[in-house]
Amino acid sequence: MSNSEQLFAEAREVMPGGVNSPVRAFGSVGGIPPFMVGAKGAYLTDADGKEYVDLVCSWGPALLGHSHPEIQAAVHAAVDHGLSFGASTPDEAKLGQLIKSRMGGVDRVRMVSTGTEATMTAVRLARGYTGRDLIIKFSGCYHGHLDGLLADAGSGLATLALPGSAGVTAATAAETLVLPYNDRTAIEAAFAEHGANIAAVITESAPCNMGVVTPEEGFNKFLKETTAKHGALLIVDEVLTGFRASSSGYWGLTGKVEGWAADLYTFGKVIGGGLPTAALGGRADVMDYLAPLGPVYQAGTLSGNPVAMAAGIAQLSNATEEVYAHLTKQSDALQAAITEAFNAEGLNHSIQRAGTLFSVAFGTAENGVHNYADAQAQEVFRYAPFFHSMLDSGVYLPPSVFEAWFVSAAHDDAAMEKIFAALPAAAKAAAAAKA
C-alpha cells in the first residue's frame, strides 16, 4: 500500500468516510485521495513524496500561494502572544476595516469562524430585522450546511447526487423557497405570491458550487431592486468569490460597476489567509440588530481568533492589484490551453467563468451552463478520467466537476507549463470516456 492508501484506511476507522469534508473522499472521481503533508507556493506534496501543481488552492485561501512568507511571519508573531484570549483584540477591527475598504455597502462587520456560520447568522439577522420568515435561495447554490439552505444545494450535495439532507425537518425546509437560478420570472412570481413574508433572497455572488455559473447581465442588480421594492433584504454570499474573483469579489465586477450594494454579505476562505475565519457585513441599521446592540443573538468563543486575524490582515494587505492582474493573466492562459486541448480532441465543452475563478462543463458547448438543471445535464462521466490523468501527471484539480478551479499569485510560468503539458493526454482520456 502507498502511504496515502494506508492513511485513508486508518482514517476510515475513526472518521465517517475517512474525511472531515465529503468531497475529499473522491466519491465523484473514484480512487484513493492523496493525503497532503506539505504546501509551498503553487505546489502540494503528498505523504508519498509526490508533488502536484495545485489548482484547488485550499478552495480559495491560497490566493498568494501556499506558505506565503508575509502570512507565515504574521502567524508566527501572533502565536508568540497566545493562541486565543476569549476577549477582544486590536486586529479584529483592523481586518474589518480592510473588508470595508474593498466592499460597497459594508458599514459593519461581525467576525465568525466559518462560512456556514456567516450565512446562518445573515439569515437569522434578515428574519429578525424584517420580522418575516421566508428565505429565497436558488437551486444549485450552496451556502453552507445550515438546515434551511440545504434544499437543492450544489457543492458536495451535487457531487453525491443527494436531493437534500436527512435530519432537516419538513417545517424548516418549508421556510425556504427554492427557485431556478437566472430566472427573473420565477423571482417576480414568488414575490407576487409571498412578498409580504419574504425576509431575504440569498444568492452566491456568482455561483461556484454547481461548477461556476455566471449570473446573466444585470441579474444581481435585478435581485437588489426587487428585494428593495418589497421590503426584503438581499444577502450576497461571497464566501468563495470574495476577494478572489477580483479585489472586491464578484460584487466588484457587478455591483461596483452598476451602482448597487447588497444589504448583507458573507465572507470566508480568503479573509482567513488559510486559517479558519469568516465574516458577515452590511448596512449599519441591519447589522446593529445583532447583539449586543439589537435583539438578534449570535456569539462565538473563537470568533475573531487573534492568529486568524493576523493571517487575514497579512493576506488582504498583500493582495494588491498586481496580484489580481497576475491571477487574471494565468487564469486566462489556462482557460485558453484547456480550450485548445479539448478542441484538438473534438471534445464538446464550455468554460464557465466568474472573474479569476472558472470551471469546465462537458457536453455544453451549444448553450453553456446557466442554472442547476444545465449543470446536472452535462456529461459528468468525462470528468473522472480527465481528473485522474491530470493527477497522474502531477496536477491537482478539484475532485468534482461541480467545483471551481483556482490559480494563485505563486503560479509562475514553470507551474503553468506543467499544467499545459498534462492537458493533451487528459483531454484524450475525457474524449474516450463512455457513460
Side-chain angles (χ1 to χ4, degrees), residues 34-393:
F35 275 54
M36 302 304 176
V37 297
K40 184 75 173 178
Y43 298 91
L44 296 172
T45 303
D46 72 14
D48 292 285
K50 184 173 181 178
E51 188 176 75
Y52 306 85
V53 181
D54 181 21
L55 290 173
V56 177
C57 293
S58 192
W59 305 103
L63 175 75
L64 304 176
H66 293 288
S67 302
H68 188 274
E70 295 282 348
I71 297 176
Q72 297 287 83
V75 167
H76 291 160
V79 166
D80 286 343
H81 293 287
L83 298 179
S84 180
F85 307 135
S88 296
T89 69
D91 281 351
E92 294 170 85
K94 289 180 182 177
L95 182 55
Q97 287 290 354
L98 285 172
I99 293 169
K100 283 182 59 175
S101 70
R102 292 176 178 234
M103 299 297 301
V106 174
D107 302 317
R108 303 279 192 273
V109 176
R110 171 63 60 90
M111 297 297 174
V112 293
S113 295
T114 69
T116 292
E117 189 182 355
T119 56
M120 175 184 71
T121 305
V123 166
R124 182 185 302 160
L125 179 57
R127 286 178 168 141
Y129 181 81
T130 62
R132 301 173 177 182
D133 295 335
L134 293 180
I135 300 293
I136 290 177
K137 76 170 291 277
F138 295 106
S139 181
C141 285
Y142 178 71
H143 304 288
H145 57 88
L146 62 157
D147 285 2
L149 298 184
L150 274 179
D152 217 7
S155 192
L157 289 166
T159 299
L160 298 173
L162 299 176
S165 177
V168 177
T169 67
T172 298
E175 293 179 338
T176 303
L177 303 177
V178 183
L179 303 181
Y181 189 68
N182 271 327
D183 190 333
R184 300 186 188 208
T185 300
I187 286 284
E188 290 171 340
F191 272 98
E193 183 174 356
H194 302 286
N197 199 31
I198 295 172
V201 173
I202 185 169
T203 183
E204 290 183 75
S205 192
C208 295
N209 289 285
M210 47 179 151
V212 173
V213 176
T214 308
E216 292 178 359
E217 185 174 355
F219 182 68
N220 286 344
K221 182 180 181 181
F222 165 78
L223 295 179
K224 171 61 179 178
E225 292 172 345
T226 303
T227 51
K229 176 181 176 182
H230 291 273
L233 302 183
L234 176 62
I235 305 170
V236 170
D237 182 340
E238 292 258 16
V239 168
L240 276 172
T241 54
F243 317 115
R244 248 293 178 180
S246 79
S247 60
S248 300
Y250 199 72
W251 172 84
L253 304 176
T254 52
K256 190 174 183 178
V257 177
E258 296 165 348
W260 60 268
D263 301 296
L264 292 170
Y265 300 88
T266 59
F267 307 105
K269 312 290 186 185
V270 170
I271 68 165
L275 293 182
T277 197
L280 64 151
R283 285 168 34 192
D285 61 319
V286 179
M287 290 293 293
D288 285 348
Y289 245 64
L290 284 172
L293 296 180
V296 177
Y297 193 74
Q298 179 277 332
T301 299
L302 296 179
S303 296
N305 173 270
V307 182
M309 295 298 97
I313 290 168
Q315 171 100 298
L316 291 186
S317 296
N318 284 279
T320 63
E321 288 301 330
E322 290 75 18
V323 164
Y324 291 103
H326 180 81
L327 297 180
T328 300
K329 174 188 173 185
Q330 302 299 56
S331 181
D332 288 348
L334 180 50
Q335 291 172 57
I338 292 168
T339 298
E340 181 180 357
F342 283 12
N343 287 347
E345 298 300 325
L347 194 55
N348 182 309
H349 75 287
S350 65
I351 295 180
Q352 309 294 130
R353 178 169 187 163
T356 65
L357 290 72
F358 71 93
S359 64
V360 299
F362 296 98
T364 59
E366 184 175 353
N367 296 313
V369 176
H370 302 280
N371 51 46
Y372 197 25
D374 292 343
Q376 291 178 306
Q378 69 177 288
E379 296 173 347
V380 174
F381 64 90
R382 297 193 186 279
Y383 190 73
F386 174 73
F387 170 86
H388 279 288
S389 178
M390 295 294 284
L391 191 69
D392 290 344
S393 296

